[in-house]
Amino acid sequence: MMTQNEIRAAMMIKGVKVNDIARKLNLANSNIIVVIHGHRPNQKVRKGIADAICKSVSDIWPELAEGRKK
């Protein structure tokens, strides 16, 4: 699992801002931030973050992949 700091670092490396993801998903910045901080497991936002940093959702949140195996 990537920490919020690792997600933010990956965003910086890719030149992506929270606002970029929010605009693409037609959501408020706060919706993106709460997912980065791990407070809300919103699948649409997780996918948007993963796409923005060129990672799979399961690379960032491996518990999702583990949960599907059960």
Side-chain angles (χ1 to χ4, degrees), residues 43 46-48 50 55-62 64 68:
Q43 290 304 104
R46 284 181 169 185
K47 176 82 169 103
K55 300 252 183 210
S56 71
V57 173
S58 61
D59 285 342
I60 304 170
W61 294 280
L64 296 179
R68 289 184 187 143

Side-chain angles (χ1 to χ4, degrees), residues 9-55:
M11 289 171 61
M12 286 178 57
I13 289 167
K14 294 292 183 181
V16 177
K17 296 181 176 134
V18 167
N19 189 50
D20 299 329
I21 299 169
R23 197 173 329 121
K24 185 173 182 177
L25 298 176
N26 199 28
L27 296 170
N29 289 358
S30 59
N31 293 107
I32 311 307
I33 292 166
V34 295
V35 173
I36 290 172
H37 287 257
H39 299 301
R40 244 183 230 139
N42 182 300
Q43 290 304 104
K44 176 181 175 181
V45 175
R46 284 181 169 185
K47 176 82 169 103
I49 293 167
D51 289 348
I53 63 173
C54 301
K55 300 252 183 210

